Amino acid sequence: DDVWVPGHEIVGHVVRAGAGMEAKSLMDKRIAAVLPYGGGCSQYVSIHANDVIVLPDEADSNEVVALLSTYMTAYQCLESVADIEAKEEEGEEEPKVGEEDVEAEAISSNKDDNEQKKSHLFGKNVLIIDSGSPVGLALVNLATNAGATVHTVPHLISRFNAIRWSGTMDLIVDVVGDSDNNP
């Protein structure tokens, strides 16, 4: 019987590495990672070398975990929109479980290989409702860095202007998502 262990974000030291050069270079390094299926509350976890972030020794573990959680939530929100847009443009249906294999792709440092690929948010108007929350601030940061024009409003004001914004915004993200506008 498999036992699910909670915890998605980890900070720790690499104590054992696989045979690959990249994995061996991480030995004894302080790292952080997000575990998509949990297990972060374990004493030891196994994770692919491509999925870790090497940390400086002075980075506070609690702050790193908070950033991972907050930014991963914001990133997944923005990327899920990209997936939906791509499927709508191509007329694709959602793939069924088991139809596709998941592969990790290494990012090349060669500029020719990465021809300034623009984000799906580049040049778009994005409204973030309740941008003062941790996830809201992360959304502002990620969308701005992706080349979007970001507009922000507090959550309580949003209900009065929703119709006005609907025609001018390419994406509206409500961080709270409460239909009664309760914070």
Side-chain angles (χ1 to χ4, degrees):
D1 292 324
D2 289 337
V3 176
W4 181 78
V5 179
H8 291 278
E9 301 83 10
I10 62 165
V11 173
H13 286 86
V14 176
V15 295
R16 187 171 15 181
M21 288 299 292
E22 187 172 357
K24 285 183 179 180
S25 71
L26 293 171
M27 197 61 198
D28 297 320
K29 300 275 187 191
R30 187 157 177 260
I31 57 102
V34 175
L35 306 174
Y37 304 107
C41 292
S42 301
Q43 184 175 358
Y44 298 100
V45 298
S46 177
I47 188 166
H48 195 279
N50 289 341
D51 296 331
V52 303
I53 303 164
V54 177
L55 298 174
D57 289 332
E58 63 273 5
D60 180 87
S61 295
N62 292 324
E63 290 176 2
V64 170
V65 167
L67 281 171
L68 283 173
S69 177
T70 302
Y71 271 79
M72 187 53 70
T73 300
Y75 175 79
Q76 288 173 337
C77 172
L78 295 174
E79 286 306 304
S80 67
V81 170
D83 290 344
I84 292 167
E85 287 176 346
K87 287 178 180 148
E88 286 176 352
E89 287 175 10
E90 297 171 10
E92 284 184 25
E93 291 184 24
E94 292 265 341
K96 293 185 176 107
V97 175
E99 277 188 22
E100 295 180 3
D101 291 332
V102 177
E103 294 180 14
E105 183 177 4
I107 297 173
S108 171
S109 59
N110 184 343
K111 284 187 179 180
D112 294 334
D113 291 345
N114 292 328
E115 281 296 319
Q116 295 295 328
K117 184 178 177 189
K118 291 187 177 157
S119 166
H120 64 96
L121 295 173
F122 186 84
K124 293 195 175 176
N125 285 307
V126 176
L127 174 65
I128 299 173
I129 300 170
D130 193 24
S131 59
S133 68
V135 173
L137 292 169
L139 284 162
V140 169
N141 182 266
L142 292 173
T144 301
N145 285 323
T149 301
V150 177
H151 309 271
T152 64
V153 293
H155 196 263
L156 292 176
I157 293 175
S158 67
R159 68 176 170 196
F160 301 113
N161 294 305
I163 294 171
R164 188 181 93 202
W165 292 321
S166 64
T168 59
M169 294 294 138
D170 298 302
L171 173 64
I172 299 175
V173 180
D174 185 346
V175 177
V176 177
D178 182 353
S179 62
D180 293 327
N181 291 305
N182 294 318

